[in-house]
């Protein structure tokens, strides 16, 4: 196999969906969002991913519908190209090479053959809005070098640029001023807020801008939560603005509805606010959206909105402010305390998600399967508030049990700890809270592990804590004559000379428990809870501890803070070997004897794969990431790969995933797993790209009923029925724009008559 | 999106008796009415027919009481000696009783003089019962015999002489007119069949049998004797199903609740225990003032009547549930408005609009949902809440602290309101389960109200009280720590001694082994 040579570190899923505003298709059937190097096409009704548009070689930074053909989509990327896609079939039509790093893309209906992009010229912080002329050519790849600068010294974010009133002007905001460029007059007006000059600490920096689609009105969002509506800005002197204030924190994004009657705004409060008629009184709320609103967009048909959130989610919202669909990617905005775990049932990757939740993320489909609410309390998003944090979690007994630990510490002495044990309910296919333990320990819990041996009858859980104890919890029968129930109780409390317990680990067969107390490792018999022996290397606190597996189950591995990796032989109770390695992550492979260790050096992180029985590593990959690797996990493969080369055999049965400090999820593969992702349904194709309105439903149903009736009455006869489209009166009514139609009273009789079936046609 | 999540109220394990549906059911009785009888109450029997009068046998009299009457509505006193076991017939019109002199007398409920007198036993008759066909009477006597009598011509039909000691209890089958069971002091229970004139089943209880009971289906037999209650499976030929030993003195009487789900046993240890008849676990127990001799339940468990050795009859009536309804109630929509359209089947063209079911929120949750923090705190500081459910108050304080608004909620209170908060703190601050939350709240209060201290004597007094409480608590904790230290020392010395002695013992054993080998 040729591919074997190219095993490399690749990014795997979980890219940001909320990086840029999502875009709706003209019929609101599809929603497009950027996702790393790709553009994803989702169905708004089913949330399913229909297509992945692949082709860019760097982060996609902007997407826009082609204003002249609503079945086409423009996208731009950091790789300096603008690509035109046919999203219905997922085909790349054209590539325009611009050359500069493109930060955002805008299209305007009136500009025939040009689009607008934000590029970075020269210095770090200086961005320009330029118009790019897209040359007409039949070839696939076209150079588009004809740039003309529109606005200079603007903000990098596309939220700070808005085109207004069919492209007559463009508004840009940066820091304390709003600049408006009029294309016809080719002049720029600048507006500064009066207070920003005097008060240094007035937090009225501009954060975003939106333009009214019909009128000359610009809405700007500010850091202090105010929204200002600017009018008469074509005159430098007579301009006016009104203020709308509800948000108590920064306004993250603004959007006008298609007709311009209402303005949508969102921010940190995770509440979507709809301002009707641009007045402070008329506002509607959609609260509890879960996380900070980053972007808001509106569908061209006007029936849907969508909000992108900081927890990597897009919510599709109906016109009447009802959330209808959620497209959820890997949540990345919180600190990962729990580490990476694999749910034995779904094979999903499990880690901290939304605040107080565990997320179950499918690696195969790059999709969040579900969120498990662990803390079950109202989330108050406020700056400086100490939240309850989900710090530890572990699966046990083939996914039947889940243990979680949450904590909140305001002051040194005030620690709130809670341990929860969740049982998998087969009927509801989810975890149900079984036991809640208040203050299971007097100090932070440092580790918890289940005994996963096959033969063990009673499920057993061990928690180790900084208070110097480790506790053994077992499942007991709590049933009486009224109900059958099981609950967890503490079975044994162990300690070793008042040292802090730092790690715990069960051997593969469950007969031994290893608990590390700072520098000392203690081995306990899990039958009698007797202390069997202790190991001490005097090389710093033990940071990681794990038993060998299968043929290597007689070895115990420990990594210390001083950068020593030790391997003890449990039969001889002696040190087998030790080496100097600054281990950050140590993970055993559940399907083999292999153990992966990621070490940290000043240059980057290195990966070592070895068997405990021999100190020589099987595989070394230097510099897997420039950042610190925080967590790693082996995920068993569904279909084993067949690498023949000895170096890669450790990848045959499981795959190693790891998470870096900047929370990118990486793995080792021959090709990018995102390329392997397959959209679940390709048959979803746009037949009719017109929005389905209630009127359509009524008419369509009416037609259906007619058909049925006729089929029943004249089964044998061939009848030519005039279809509604064929009647000129109806087609005139349906296809003429409303503002040019004569009054309804004139049309009514004609229209109703045309719908009636005349007797001649029946016979 | 996800709705408002109500505040998690910390639950604490309730000490003492667990509250189950059984304890609720059996505690739902009024305080007992006590009626003094002339002697030990040996038997209580309810008439199976309305108005469910009951006959009480005590000394040489039989009193008939109405359900709610404290005075007997009728008395049968024509006994020369002690009367025993007055029992109603199934139709409630006849009553049969044995007596110390060996006679068995049959009374009409309305009459006074006995209708029939069955003479034949030579010693005291302690048990009598009507058979299922209503025309025969079974009696057991201290002359070791069991006799079957015919009511119409007052003749003895059969005599069974199989017992070898006093026959003290008996019970006729409710289904078969020919079957009855007797228990005797010879430790046996015998089931007799009138058609075969001998016992068909005999089981060994192990103790003198005091009481015997047949299940309504006739499949199970319950016997009480000594401290044991035993359940026998008749259909398996008298196999012992389960043996219960929950009393610590002789069990004297047994009774089945009207549903047949619970079995009651009364004992000389002054307790009545209630068992589930499916698991045979004790689900509840009552205490009485004296040793219990007899026990009966009215129809639908409406009344529990217990007779005791000191001649006291204790009558407990079930609390009526009609009373609650009489309270003026706000008119609510009828039930049918809630279920309207629930069973409507969806047609093909219908568009189903789901209305999310409204979640009921507590008042404090409603306030918290709307960020009315002071109001939420006021609500849980109402005396009804602070006394009955302090954990709710503490949970709300904790939640306010989590939201970072506890200081806002506590600030700006007048004398009355702040003294309410202080009262709550004084009452609960020393409870270890509430202490971490409340100490924090107390600190905040002191910080806020320090500038205005001295303006109100009421509040100042409360603050002093709180200070005294904290000092007392500190002293108490210090004492506890001292005690703990002393105990630790004691334990340490003890364990060392133990281990050394064990070691010595082991070495001794080892030496001995060596000696044996050599």
């Amino acid at each position: 196999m040729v591919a074997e040579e190219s095993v490399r570190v690749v990014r795997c899923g979980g890219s940001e969906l909320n990086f840029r505003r999502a875009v709706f298709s003209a019929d609101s059937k599809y929603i497009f969002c950027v996702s790393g190097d790709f553009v994803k096409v989702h169905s708004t009704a089913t949330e399913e991913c229909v297509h992945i548009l692949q082709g860019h070689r760097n982060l996609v930074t902007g997407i826009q519908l082609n204003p002249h053909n609503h079945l086409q989509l423009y996208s731009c990327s950091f790789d300096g190209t603008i690509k035109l896609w046919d999203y219905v079939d997922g085909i790349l039509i054209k590539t325009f090479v611009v050359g500069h790093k493109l930060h955002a893309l805008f299209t305007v209906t009136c500009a025939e053959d040009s689009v607008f992009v934000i590029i970075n010229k020269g210095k770090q912080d200086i961005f320009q809005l330029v118009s790019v002329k897209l040359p007409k050519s039949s070839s696939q790849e076209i150079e588009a070098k004809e740039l003309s600068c529109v606005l200079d010294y603007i903000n990098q974010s596309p939220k700070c640029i808005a085109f207004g009133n069919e492209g007559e002007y463009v508004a840009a905001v940066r820091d304390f001023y709003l600049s408006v460029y009029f294309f016809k007059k080719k002049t720029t007006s600048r507006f500064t807020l009066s207070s920003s000059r005097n008060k240094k600490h007035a937090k009225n920096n501009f954060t975003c801008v939106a333009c009214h689609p019909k009128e000359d009105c610009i809405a700007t969002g500010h850091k202090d939560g105010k929204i200002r509506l600017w009018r008469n800005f074509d005159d430098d002197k007579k301009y006016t603005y009104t203020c709308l204030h509800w948000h108590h924190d920064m306004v993250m994004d603004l959007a006008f509805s298609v007709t311009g009657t209402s303005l949508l705004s969102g921010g940190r409060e995770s509440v979507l606010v709809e301002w009707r008629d641009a007045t402070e009184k008329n506002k509607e709320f959609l609260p509890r959206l879960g996380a900070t609103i980053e972007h808001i967009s509106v569908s061209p048909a006007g029936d849907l909105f969508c909000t992108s959130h900081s927890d990597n989610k897009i919510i599709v919202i109906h016109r009447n402010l009802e959330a209808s669909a959620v497209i959820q990617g890997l949540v990345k905005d919180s600190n990962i305390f729990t580490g990476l775990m694999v749910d034995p049932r779904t094979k999903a990757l499990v880690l901290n998600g939304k605040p107080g939740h565990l997320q179950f993320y499918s690696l195969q489909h790059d999709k969040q399967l579900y969120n498990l609410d662990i803390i079950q309390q109202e989330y108050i998003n406020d700056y400086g508030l100490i939240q309850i944090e989900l710090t530890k979690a572990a699966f046990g007994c083939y996914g039947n049990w889940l243990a979680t630990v949450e904590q909140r510490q305001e002051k040194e002495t005030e620690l709130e700890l809670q341990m929860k044990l969740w049982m998998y309910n087969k009927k509801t296919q989810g975890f149900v809270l079984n036991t809640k333990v208040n203050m299971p320990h007097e100090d932070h819990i440092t580790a918890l592990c289940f005994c996963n041996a096959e033969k063990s009858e009673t499920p057993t859980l061990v928690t180790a804590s900084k208070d110097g104890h480790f506790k053994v919890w077992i499942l007991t029968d709590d049933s009486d004559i009224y109900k059958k129930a099981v609950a967890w109780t503490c079975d044994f409390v162990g300690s070793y000379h008042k040292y802090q317990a730092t790690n715990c680990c069960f051997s593969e067969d469950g007969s031994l428990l290893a608990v590390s107390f700072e520098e000392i490792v203690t081995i306990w018999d899990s039958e009698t809870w007797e202390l069997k022996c202790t190991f001490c290397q005097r090389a710093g606190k033990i940071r990681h501890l794990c038993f060998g597996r299968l043929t290597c189950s007689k070895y115990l591995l420990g990594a210390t803070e001083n950068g020593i990796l030790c391997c003890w032989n449990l039969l001889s109770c002696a040190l087998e070997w030790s080496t100097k390695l600054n281990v950050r992550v140590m993970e055993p492979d559940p399907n083999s004897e292999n153990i992966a260790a990621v070490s940290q050096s000043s240059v980057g992180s290195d990966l070592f794969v070895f068997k405990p029985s021999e100190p020589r590593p099987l595989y070394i990959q230097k510099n897997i990431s420039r950042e610190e690797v925080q967590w790693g996990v082996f995920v068993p493969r569904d279909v084993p790969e067949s690498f023949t080369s000895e170096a890669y055999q450790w990848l045959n049965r499981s795959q190693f995933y790891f998470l870096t400090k900047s929370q990118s999820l990486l793995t080792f593969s021959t090709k990018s797993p995102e390329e392997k992702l397959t959209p679940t349904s390709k048959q979803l194709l746009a037949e009719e790209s017109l929005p389905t309105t209630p009127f359509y439903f009524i008419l369509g149903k009416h037609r259906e009923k007619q058909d049925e009736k006729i089929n029943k009455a004249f089964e044998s006869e061939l009848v030519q029925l005039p279809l509604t489209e064929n009647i000129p009166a109806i087609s005139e009514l349906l296809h003429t724009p409303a503002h040019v139609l004569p009054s309804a009273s004139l049309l009514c009789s004609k229209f109703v008559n045309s719908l009636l079936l005349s007797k001649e046609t029946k016979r | 999106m996800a709705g408002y999540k109500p505040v998690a109220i910390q639950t604490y394990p309730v000490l003492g008796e667990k509250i189950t549906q059984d304890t609720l059911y059996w505690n739902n009785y009024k305080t007992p009415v006590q009626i003094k009888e002339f002697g030990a109450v040996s038997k209580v029997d309810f008439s199976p027919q309305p108005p469910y009068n009951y006959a009480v046998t005590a000394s040489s009299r039989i009193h008939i009481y109405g359900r709610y009457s404290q005075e007997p509505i009728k008395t049968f006193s024509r006994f020369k000696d002690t009367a025993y076991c007055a029992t109603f017939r199934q139709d409630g019109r006849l009553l049969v009783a044995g007596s110390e002199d060996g006679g068995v007398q049959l009374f009409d409920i309305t009459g006074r003089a006995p209708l029939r007198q069955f003479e034949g036993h030579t010693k005291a008759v302690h048990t009598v019962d009507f058979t299922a066909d209503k025309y025969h009477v079974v009696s057991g006597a201290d002359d070791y015999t069991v006799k079957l009598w015919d009511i119409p011509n007052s003749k003895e039909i059969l005599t069974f002489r199989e017992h070898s000691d006093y026959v003290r209890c008996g019970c006729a089958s409710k289904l078969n007119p020919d079957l009855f069971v007797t228990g005797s002091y010879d430790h046996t229970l015998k089931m007799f069949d009138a058609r075969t004139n001998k016992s068909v089943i005999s089981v060994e209880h192990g103790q003198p049998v005091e009481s015997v009971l047949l299940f309504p289906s006739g499949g199970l037999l319950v016997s009480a004797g000594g401290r044991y209650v035993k359940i026998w499976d008749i259909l398996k030929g008298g196999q012992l199903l389960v043996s219960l030993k929950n009393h610590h003195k002789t069990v004297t009487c047994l009774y089945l609740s009207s549903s047949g789900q619970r079995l009651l046993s009364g004992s000389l240890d002054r307790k009545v225990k209630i068992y589930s008849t499916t698991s045979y676990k004790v689900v509840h127990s009552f205490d009485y003032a004296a040793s219990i001799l007899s026990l009966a339940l009215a129809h639908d468990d409406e009344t529990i009547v217990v007779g005791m050795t000191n001649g006291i009859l204790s009558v407990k009536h079930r609390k009526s549930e009609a009373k609650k309804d009489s309270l003026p109630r706000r008119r609510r929509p009828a039930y049918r408005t809630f279920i309207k359209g629930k069973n409507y089947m969806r047609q093909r063209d219908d568009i189903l609009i789901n209305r999310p079911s409204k979640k009921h929120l507590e008042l404090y949750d409603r306030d918290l949902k709307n960020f009315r923090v002071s109001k939420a705190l006021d609500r849980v500081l109402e005396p009804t809440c602070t006394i009955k459910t302090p954990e709710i108050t503490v949970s709300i304080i904790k939640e306010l602290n989590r939201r970072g608004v506890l200081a806002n909620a506590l600030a700006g209170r007048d004398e009355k309101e702040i003294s309410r908060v202080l009262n709550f703190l004084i009452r609960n601050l020393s409870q270890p389960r509430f202490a971490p939350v409340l100490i924090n709240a107390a600190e905040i209060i002191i910080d806020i109200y320090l500038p205005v201290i001295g303006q109100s004597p009421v509040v100042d007094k409360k603050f002093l009280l709180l200070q005294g409480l904290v000092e007392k608590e500190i002293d108490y904790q210090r004492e506890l720590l001292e005690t703990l230290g002393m105990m630790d020392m004691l334990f340490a010395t003890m364990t060392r001694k133990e281990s050394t002695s064990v070691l010595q013992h082991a070495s001794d054993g080892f030496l001995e082994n060596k000696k044996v080998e050599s």
Side-chain angles (χ1 to χ4, degrees), chain A residues 551-719:
Chain A
T551 57
C552 298
S553 56
K554 62 180 175 182
Y555 297 105
L556 174 69
L557 288 153
T560 69
E561 276 184 348
N562 293 0
I564 306 284
L565 177 65
C566 307
C567 177
W568 291 282
N569 189 332
L570 293 170
L571 297 179
S572 61
C573 289
L575 186 72
E576 190 85 5
W577 52 266
S578 74
T579 173
K580 193 151 178 62
L581 195 66
N582 186 15
V583 176
R584 288 277 148 178
V585 173
M586 187 160 77
E587 278 294 322
D589 181 359
N591 288 339
S592 68
E593 298 97 339
N594 300 333
I595 288 177
V598 180
S599 79
Q600 169 77 18
S601 65
S602 54
V603 191
S605 301
D606 308 325
L607 174 83
F608 298 87
V609 180
F610 58 92
K611 281 185 185 178
S613 52
E614 42 192 306
R616 195 176 304 279
L618 293 171
Y619 179 76
I620 302 174
Q621 173 117 7
K622 290 266 177 195
N623 230 339
I624 53 171
S625 156
R626 240 175 257 163
E627 305 165 280
E628 182 184 336
V629 174
Q630 281 193 317
W631 304 99
V633 72
F634 273 103
V635 180
R637 283 185 202 272
D638 292 336
V639 186
E641 296 258 340
S642 51
F643 291 111
T644 43
S645 151
E646 210 162 280
Y648 299 134
Q649 272 183 0
W650 65 283
L651 282 169
N652 274 354
R653 302 179 64 187
S654 330
Q655 202 167 0
F656 186 66
Y657 286 87
F658 57 96
L659 194 72
T660 61
K661 201 166 186 183
S662 65
Q663 310 204 335
S664 40
L665 188 65
L666 305 170
T667 188
F668 288 91
S669 178
T670 48
K671 51 184 172 179
S672 157
E674 285 194 355
E675 284 164 28
K676 285 197 262 180
L677 296 176
T678 45
T680 42
S681 53
K682 277 202 169 166
Q683 70 274 29
L684 265 169
L685 294 175
E687 285 176 11
E688 200 173 351
S689 288
L690 284 173
T692 49
T693 56
F695 184 63
Y696 164 84
F697 279 122
I698 295 165
L699 201 68
K701 199 182 289 173
H702 179 79
R703 203 191 302 167
E704 236 170 66
K705 270 187 190 161
Q706 268 184 352
D707 286 353
E708 246 172 57
K709 231 188 261 168
I710 288 154
N711 284 347
K712 270 181 200 162
F714 317 100
E715 272 181 329
S716 53
E717 284 181 54
L718 266 171
V719 183

Side-chain angles (χ1 to χ4, degrees), chain A residues 288-289 315 323 357 373 376-378 380 385 387-388 408 410-411 416 418 438 480-482 701, chain B residues 1-5 8 10 18 20-22 276 279 283 349 369 398-399 401-404 440 443:
Chain A
R288 294 188 194 83
L289 292 173
I315 300 181
H357 289 66
D373 188 359
Q376 297 181 328
Q377 282 196 28
E378 184 77 356
I380 306 290
L385 216 56
Q387 306 284 359
I388 305 178
R408 177 175 183 275
E410 198 157 319
K411 293 176 202 160
E416 291 165 32
Q418 207 165 43
N438 239 338
D480 49 21
I481 63 164
Y482 308 105
K701 199 182 289 173
Chain B
M1 292 313 295
Y4 173 81
K5 289 174 201 156
Q10 194 69 55
K18 232 185 189 174
T20 63
Q21 59 218 51
D22 268 295
S276 154
S279 64
V283 294
D349 292 336
K369 187 181 172 186
K398 193 173 167 187
E399 170 72 13
N401 186 36
R402 187 179 75 88
R403 292 179 173 210
N440 185 25
E443 277 172 3

Side-chain angles (χ1 to χ4, degrees), chain A residues 267-295:
Chain A
R268 248 184 105 88
E269 301 88 358
S270 7
V271 180
L272 182 70
V273 187
E274 183 181 1
W275 308 82
R276 300 249 161 100
D277 311 321
T279 49
E280 197 142 45
K281 265 184 269 168
N282 286 349
K283 49 182 185 285
E284 301 276 326
F285 302 105
L286 179 62
R288 294 188 194 83
L289 292 173
T292 305
I293 296 174
E294 299 266 358
H295 299 98

Side-chain angles (χ1 to χ4, degrees), chain B residues 265-280:
Chain B
S265 68
S267 151
L268 294 180
D269 65 2
R270 303 187 288 191
K271 277 191 168 53
V272 171
K273 303 247 176 193
I274 301 166
Y275 310 86
S276 154
T277 53
T278 45
S279 64
Y280 296 107

